[in-house]
């Protein structure tokens, strides 16, 4: 092909490209093929030999930016290879990746904290366990008592809790104890006794919470095994403590006892060592003391009665507090009914027949104890009411089982000379008022500057069952306070302006209190004394002036003032907190309703 022809072909191609808007000023490396008369490309002369037989397309002469990738067949859509590197899920960014990383970190932190806490508890366990007594000596420690002695303010012996091994204490094997008593004891003290490891974790947590919200006044959550460990293996000083360390030692001992002894052995030791009041140590002595029979013959009502005593033997004393003791027995019956209803009767280890308690059986058992005639015990003490009062105070402060095993020496504030004089005064005064239907009386002498009780007489004759002589009328919560409230009334009146010389008229007076007819008080001597000073009215304990003073100050505080100015408010300021009812009316005793 001549040069003229090549030039002509270039001009034609350039003209077409300009027409189509595509013009490449860079000449191709090879001449374009010639066109024939029908604008068809003509064969191009190639001077070189293409060894590979490769045809160079038009796109090869265009710049890189204008290259268009070859079109793939329509049935295969174009795809681009995924060259992004694969990232592990825990390193991915975004919400899910952050959550997973946080979750992994939290689990790891919890594991570390758990290991540290576990290590600490293991360390504390072995530290405490190394100082504990050997549970193998549990039986050897049983029945070892030391006498507790109660003295007056001058060191004179008032009462001595004798060694029970020389008195009412008879060991009895478990198979000879009534199943009723075992069921009552388990329902009252430890519902999961047969299955727990010696302690109850849930009850401990609940007790800790109750102690927290009540400032240390909550329950102790002690199982039967814990009570046995505390009574036989801990020192007297430690038994009285209410600390986490003592509870931890008690729990470890209980777990070790459960590991070393069978449940029946633990229960047998417990029932033979526990104190049931009135010098009855062990269930056999208790059955003989209260019912004159062996423990194997106890009825359901008698068993529920005995099972309620160990919690506080001096408080739940049928001879001095019959109402409270019978209420406690009914509480035990309710616990037995609940457990029987939950477990489909109460299974016990010494009988193939479980103990079943339904409402009818529980009611019959409660009525049985209400109608029972209890034999009054012989109580060899010079001042029995005072001794029992001191015992009840000790039981509020210490564990009941500790008091009767530890050899305490208790100095009291009682003055024996004044006590003898007070006893004689009460006896003579009641005897002088027999014609006025007076058969009982009480007296308490207190030193005002210190609050010390110098004398306490609960009744004229402790051993007189006809007047319920064993009930301490000086402390019984079922008795009205009587004229002992008059001083509080007059003190409140003094704060409102009265003086001991204030004049009061002791004349017939009616006080409307919503009743019909209205309240009209009378003096104990049946007469009226006209004008009296407060000093004279109080000294003679006249009722009409006292009611007028009570009307003047008011029974309850005025809600519109911040001061405690009523009679009950004055009593609270002086330490009396038992006046909690909201229906008190005018009375010289602040007790008329």
């Amino acid at each position: 092909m001549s040069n003229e022809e090549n030039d002509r072909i270039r001009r034609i191609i350039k003209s077409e490209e300009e027409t189509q808007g595509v013009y490449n000023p860079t000449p191709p490396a090879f001449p374009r093929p010639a066109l024939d008369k029908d604008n068809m490309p003509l064969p191009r002369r190639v001077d070189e030999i293409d060894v590979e037989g490769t045809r160079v397309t038009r796109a090869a002469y265009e710049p890189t930016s204008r290259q268009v990738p070859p079109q793939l067949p329509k049935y295969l859509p174009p795809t681009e290879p995924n060259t992004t590197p694969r990232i592990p899920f825990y390193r991915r960014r975004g919400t899910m990746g952050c959550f997973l990383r946080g979750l992994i970190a939290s689990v790891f932190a919890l594991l570390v904290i758990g290991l540290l806490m576990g290590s600490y508890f293991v360390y504390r366990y072995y530290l405490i366990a190394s100082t504990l007594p050997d549970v193998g000596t549990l039986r050897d420690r049983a029945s070892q008592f030391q006498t507790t002695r109660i003295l007056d303010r001058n060191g004179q012996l008032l009462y001595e809790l004798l060694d029970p091994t020389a008195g009412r204490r008879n060991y009895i094997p478990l198979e000879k104890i009534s199943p009723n008593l075992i069921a009552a004891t388990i329902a009252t003290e430890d519902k999961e006794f047969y299955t727990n490891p010696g302690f109850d974790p849930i009850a401990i947590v609940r007790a800790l919470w109750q102690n927290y919200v009540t400032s240390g006044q909550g329950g102790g959550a002690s199982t039967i095994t814990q009570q046995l460990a505390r009574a036989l293996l801990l020192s007297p000083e430690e038994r009285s403590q209410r600390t986490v360390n003592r509870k931890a030692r008690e729990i470890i001992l209980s777990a070790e006892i459960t590991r070393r002894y069978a449940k029946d052995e633990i229960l047998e030791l417990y029932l033979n060592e526990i104190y049931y009041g009135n010098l009855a140590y062990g269930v056999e002595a208790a059955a003989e003391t209260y019912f004159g029979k062996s423990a194997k013959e106890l009825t359901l009502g008698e068993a529920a009665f005995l099972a309620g005593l160990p919690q506080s033997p001096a408080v739940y004393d049928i001879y001095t507090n019959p109402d409270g003791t019978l209420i406690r027995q009914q509480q035990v019956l309710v616990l037995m009914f609940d457990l029987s209803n939950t477990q489909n009767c109460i299974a016990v280890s010494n009988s193939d027949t479980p103990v079943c308690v339904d409402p009818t059986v529980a009611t019959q058992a409660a009525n049985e104890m209400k109608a029972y005639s209890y034999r009054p015990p012989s109580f060899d003490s010079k001042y029995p009411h005072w001794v029992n009062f001191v015992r009840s105070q000790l039981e509020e402060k210490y564990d009941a089982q500790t008091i009767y095993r530890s050899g305490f020496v208790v100095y009291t504030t009682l003055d024996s000379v004044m006590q003898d004089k007070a006893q004689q005064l009460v006896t003579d005064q009641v005897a002088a008022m027999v014609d006025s239907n007076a058969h009982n009386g009480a007296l308490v002498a207190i030193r005002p500057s210190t609050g010390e009780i110098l004398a306490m007489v609960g009744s004229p004759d402790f051993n007189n069952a006809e007047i319920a002589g064993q009930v301490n009328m000086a402390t019984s919560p079922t008795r009205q306070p009587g004229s002992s409230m008059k001083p509080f009334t007059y003190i409140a009146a003094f704060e409102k302006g009265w003086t001991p010389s204030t004049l009061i008229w002791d004349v017939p007076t009616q006080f409307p209190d919503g009743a019909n007819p209205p309240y009209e008080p009378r003096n104990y001597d049946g007469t009226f004394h006209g004008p009296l000073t407060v000093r004279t009215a109080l000294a003679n304990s006249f009722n009409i002036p006292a009611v007028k003073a009570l009307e003047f100050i008011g029974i309850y505080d005025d809600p519109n003032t911040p001061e405690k100015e009523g009679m009950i408010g004055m009593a609270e300021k002086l330490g009396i907190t038992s006046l909690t009812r909201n229906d008190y009316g005018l009375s010289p005793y602040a007790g008329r309703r």
Side-chain angles (χ1 to χ4, degrees), residues 426-546:
V426 171
T427 303
D428 294 345
Q429 185 67 22
V430 170
M433 298 179 65
V434 170
D435 295 339
S436 299
N437 198 30
H439 303 286
N440 208 340
L443 183 151
V444 178
I446 299 176
R447 177 171 290 168
S449 59
T450 61
E452 297 173 88
I453 298 177
L454 302 177
M456 174 183 285
V457 179
S459 68
D461 185 359
F462 181 84
N463 296 313
N464 188 345
E466 293 182 0
I467 63 170
Q470 295 188 358
V471 177
N472 190 342
M473 294 298 175
T475 60
S476 176
T478 61
R479 310 296 298 179
Q480 288 194 3
S483 294
S484 64
M485 296 305 298
K486 290 176 182 176
F488 300 98
T489 302
Y490 286 114
I491 291 173
F494 293 159
E495 287 196 343
K496 284 195 170 185
W498 284 20
T499 70
S501 299
T502 298
L503 190 67
I504 307 178
W505 286 87
D506 183 10
V507 296
T509 308
Q510 292 184 343
F511 297 89
D513 61 353
N516 189 16
Y519 175 46
E520 187 172 354
R522 292 285 188 271
N523 293 319
Y524 67 88
D525 59 0
T527 62
F528 304 98
H529 307 90
L532 298 172
T533 63
V534 169
R535 181 184 293 107
T536 303
L538 175 58
N540 291 274
S541 190
F542 292 139
N543 291 335
I544 297 174

Side-chain angles (χ1 to χ4, degrees), residues 60 67 119 185 324 439 474 520 586 590:
Q67 292 183 6
S119 301
T185 301
H439 303 286
E520 187 172 354
L586 291 176

Side-chain angles (χ1 to χ4, degrees), residues 174 193-194 261-269 349-350:
L174 188 67
F193 169 74
Y194 288 113
Y261 294 87
K263 288 289 187 178
D264 283 354
E265 291 182 275
I266 297 171
L267 188 58
E268 182 178 302
L269 274 174
S349 57
N350 69 340

Side-chain angles (χ1 to χ4, degrees), residues 107-123:
V107 171
F108 180 76
L110 289 175
L111 289 175
V112 173
I113 294 174
L115 289 174
L116 292 176
M117 292 182 63
S119 301
Y120 172 76
F121 283 120
V122 170
Y123 166 76

